[in-house]
Amino acid sequence: GYDDLLAVAVKMCKKNPKIHFYFVGNSENKTELIEQYREISGITFLGHRTDVQSVLKKMDIFVLPSYSEGLPNALMEAMATGLACIATPVGGVLELIKDGVSGRLFEPGDRVMLKSLIEIFCGYAGKRKSFGLNARKTIEKEYSWSTISSNYIDLFKELN
């Protein structure tokens, strides 16, 4: 979905010079795509980062446009930071995001819906904040270390 988000980013940056997209993470097999769009104003490719929390804290919206996922750590980190999240309903994303409550979902490859959701979040800071707070609560409640360790203890007790 990298190319889907990039296509939407290009359109949005040309229309609105105030918007900025940061592409973070492994860029293997994307060199040609990155080179094609490297000079577009409003788009920055950060590559692999070890300071993920500090990068996420500077953002307003997180987008995970994947066609396939397990339980995505990147999405969990963004939710824990309190970001409004937009993602595709694949793999473990469905366990993390309740559409319309803790984030918004769009079908893989649906660039029109992706652009629409980004525009909605860009236009409504209150909505971003509400989704971000709900996302953070989801992570704190379901994926905190205390919850995970408690679940493991219960599982081990069941197995005995």
Side-chain angles (χ1 to χ4, degrees), residues 8-59:
V8 168
V10 168
K11 285 181 183 177
M12 292 183 75
C13 288
K14 286 181 179 179
K15 200 174 186 180
N16 182 352
K18 291 182 180 180
I19 196 167
H20 202 102
F21 287 81
Y22 294 95
F23 288 78
V24 182
N26 184 345
S27 57
E28 284 181 30
N29 305 321
K30 297 177 185 89
T31 307
E32 194 174 304
L33 195 60
I34 290 170
E35 288 305 317
Q36 184 180 353
Y37 296 104
R38 185 175 299 284
E39 301 301 319
I40 297 202
S41 180
I43 296 175
T44 303
F45 299 96
L46 298 176
H48 174 75
R49 299 294 293 246
T50 56
D51 60 338
V52 174
Q53 282 302 104
S54 65
V55 171
L56 288 173
K57 287 180 180 179
K58 295 175 185 174
M59 296 182 182

Side-chain angles (χ1 to χ4, degrees), residues 35-148:
E35 288 305 317
Q36 184 180 353
Y37 296 104
R38 185 175 299 284
E39 301 301 319
I40 297 202
S41 180
I43 296 175
T44 303
F45 299 96
L46 298 176
H48 174 75
R49 299 294 293 246
T50 56
D51 60 338
V52 174
Q53 282 302 104
S54 65
V55 171
L56 288 173
K57 287 180 180 179
K58 295 175 185 174
M59 296 182 182
D60 294 316
I61 302 166
F62 178 86
V63 179
L64 186 72
S66 299
Y67 281 60
S68 174
E69 280 291 341
L71 187 63
N73 285 331
L75 180 58
M76 291 172 62
E77 290 171 337
M79 291 173 72
T81 305
L83 282 173
C85 296
I86 300 170
T88 51
V90 297
V93 171
L94 290 170
E95 292 179 37
L96 295 169
I97 292 183
K98 183 174 181 188
D99 193 27
V101 177
S102 56
R104 290 302 318 267
L105 299 173
F106 71 101
E107 289 302 315
D110 188 345
R111 294 176 180 184
V112 172
M113 179 59 96
L114 173 57
K115 183 176 180 284
S116 175
L117 291 173
I118 294 171
E119 288 173 339
I120 289 168
F121 276 0
C122 285
Y124 299 98
K127 190 174 284 286
R128 278 196 317 267
K129 185 172 181 157
S130 173
F131 278 87
L133 288 171
N134 289 336
R136 183 170 173 82
K137 287 177 187 175
T138 297
I139 295 300
E140 289 173 348
K141 181 181 175 198
E142 303 294 329
Y143 297 94
S144 69
W145 285 116
S146 61
T147 300
I148 290 170

